[in-house]
Amino acid sequence: MTDFMTEYDLYCTQHGVPERIDLMLCDINAVLRGKWLPSSEVSKLLDNQVRIPLSTYAPNIFGFEIPETGLGMIQGDPDGILKPILGTLKPVPWAKGNVAQLMVEMHEMNGEISELSPRLILQRIVDKFKNKGLNPVVACELEFYIINKRKNVSDPPTPPERTPDAQNYDLEVLSRSEEMLRAIQKASKVLGLPIDSIIAEFGPGQFEINFHHTGDVLSAADTAVIFRRLVRGVADEHGMEATFMAKPYADHPGNGMHLHTSVLDNEGVNIFECSNEEIAPALRYAVAGVLNTMEDFQAIFAPHMNSYRRFFPGGFAPCAPDWGLDNRNAGIRLPVTKGPASRLEHRISGADINPYLAFAAILAGILHGIETQEEPPLPLEDSNSSPAIPLTTNWNQSVDNFENSEFAKALLGENYCNIYTVLRRNEISQITTEIPPIEYKTYLSRL
């Protein structure tokens, strides 16, 4: 822990003593929870005195504990100890005053990281790669919408003024949003986030951020979590809202999270690389692995009811376990198959995912394919290929598939799978039993 104090002292030298530190714990839904810690109390982080209930890792999407998870008051709601994740102490550029933020993990009283940590789940699959002499390298893409600020949380979104319905790669759209986009870029630089390009995506007010590839997979997931907070904070500062909701508009493209992945051996050689016109065996196996596990992990790639609005044919997003060469219709795209940049792109996830769990599920599929050496089906471009059976559009069915999946249990552990399933079923029961306005509009006065 002395390393954290070195980090804190360096922060104070560079930015001044912060008024407070926002302690950020990523829960099962990727909602950041935690505490405001006055800088005068920073020593408490060294003395195991900063605590919150372990159940904070696993509330439902509404923020309530669910007894069926076995967590919370049903077990006395015991505390865990918040400990810093080194390297994550950064300023909060959009906050008023000198405010720092710090990502934390929850530790049990025995000193071990809680089994409820999604970050720990990702660490374990990365460790499995390393135990085989392999090192995954990832680059994330995230899509989001900027919308006008709403008066009520139940109000539908509306795009900014003068926004075309189809703005794909429109430079004028970028120019009109320049002040806010520059603020996002500046804040990202202050936080050390490895952003690459920003583009205007297809939908009105929709943008995409690309991050540089990295062999630090946990840092890449941290970046995705922090960036979502950053964008919402900067948008609010500019009198707007930002959302990473999977499908905020029925008639416009949804927000996706695409993950580009390659795998290096201990010599730094990309095992997906091939020098001739063929696809490297390891890349073929990896494709087969992610395709064969995609249905099992769909409840991670699409965690909420709104997520499934992306999975309809013609809905601007891939909706089947298929693959292709530089083909954006495919669930798995191979943008490059020759040279050191050879990789696969997983295009199924919405931007509403928990990045730790989604990255872990994708990597687990890749490792499964490499280990089993199964061949994938024919790519979409092959005239002899048969259409893949689409992923389900039924939220219940997806959760059923996850609950019964041996892949999910092997990755997450049986207890975590049970907690995840319980929370999804609770969310399903609450959201699907509420009568939406369209039913009153259609039926109330006619029937």
Side-chain angles (χ1 to χ4, degrees), residues 210-281:
N210 298 325
F211 297 99
H212 290 291
H213 69 276
T214 176
D216 190 340
V217 177
L218 267 75
S219 178
D222 293 340
T223 292
V225 171
I226 293 170
F227 182 76
R228 292 195 300 201
R229 181 179 196 243
L230 180 157
V231 171
R232 286 192 289 264
V234 171
D236 181 68
E237 189 180 34
H238 285 76
M240 305 294 285
E241 287 185 61
T243 182
F244 293 81
M245 181 180 178
K247 189 78 168 171
Y249 297 105
D251 299 327
H252 297 295
N255 288 321
M257 188 286 294
H258 303 157
L259 191 69
H260 293 252
T261 308
S262 55
V263 178
L264 310 184
D265 63 20
N266 282 338
E267 303 300 318
V269 176
N270 185 352
I271 68 171
F272 292 170
E273 179 179 348
C274 195
S275 58
N276 55 37
E277 297 303 317
E278 300 294 324
I279 298 174

Side-chain angles (χ1 to χ4, degrees), residues 187-208:
S188 296
K189 185 176 181 179
V190 170
L191 268 63
L193 303 186
I195 65 169
D196 190 357
S197 58
I198 294 179
I199 64 169
E201 257 297 344
F202 197 95
Q206 188 182 33
F207 299 92
E208 179 185 274

Side-chain angles (χ1 to χ4, degrees), residues 93-216:
W94 58 91
K96 294 179 174 62
N98 187 342
V99 178
Q101 64 180 18
L102 176 69
M103 297 198 72
V104 294
E105 281 279 44
M106 190 112 64
H107 289 237
E108 304 271 3
M109 293 303 171
N110 62 8
E112 298 293 323
I113 297 176
S114 170
E115 296 290 323
L116 300 173
S117 165
R119 200 172 189 273
L120 178 63
I121 289 167
L122 178 56
Q123 178 67 68
R124 285 175 171 168
I125 190 65
V126 171
D127 289 344
K128 287 183 179 181
F129 273 86
K130 293 188 182 301
N131 289 340
K132 291 183 175 294
L134 300 173
N135 303 281
V137 174
V138 300
C140 175
E141 299 172 356
L142 273 173
E143 295 168 341
F144 59 93
Y145 274 93
I146 298 297
I147 62 175
N148 291 318
K149 187 157 286 190
R150 299 166 301 150
K151 291 183 179 179
N152 305 297
V153 294
S154 58
D155 290 343
T158 58
E161 293 181 7
R162 299 176 61 207
T163 302
D165 285 344
Q167 61 172 44
N168 210 20
Y169 297 104
D170 191 323
L171 291 176
E172 274 195 36
V173 169
L174 293 177
S175 295
R176 285 198 293 271
S177 305
E178 183 173 3
E179 185 179 349
M180 183 173 58
L181 295 178
R182 278 185 176 275
I184 289 172
Q185 289 177 314
K186 182 179 179 181
S188 296
K189 185 176 181 179
V190 170
L191 268 63
L193 303 186
I195 65 169
D196 190 357
S197 58
I198 294 179
I199 64 169
E201 257 297 344
F202 197 95
Q206 188 182 33
F207 299 92
E208 179 185 274
I209 186 75
N210 298 325
F211 297 99
H212 290 291
H213 69 276
T214 176
D216 190 340

Side-chain angles (χ1 to χ4, degrees), residues 4 18-27 31-39 41-42 44-45 48-54 56-57 77-84 88-90 92 99-106 109 229:
F4 172 71
E19 299 162 24
R20 71 168 195 266
I21 304 173
D22 293 355
L23 303 181
M24 306 184 303
L25 181 83
C26 183
D27 78 4
V31 174
L32 288 172
R33 303 184 184 277
K35 290 185 174 185
W36 284 7
L37 183 72
S39 58
E41 305 292 321
V42 69
K44 289 184 175 180
L45 280 170
N48 297 337
Q49 294 184 47
V50 183
R51 303 180 180 187
I52 58 175
L54 285 162
T56 307
Y57 266 129
D77 214 12
D79 277 344
I81 301 167
L82 296 183
K83 294 192 177 183
T88 66
L89 181 66
K90 303 291 181 180
V92 183
V99 178
Q101 64 180 18
L102 176 69
M103 297 198 72
V104 294
E105 281 279 44
M106 190 112 64
M109 293 303 171
R229 181 179 196 243

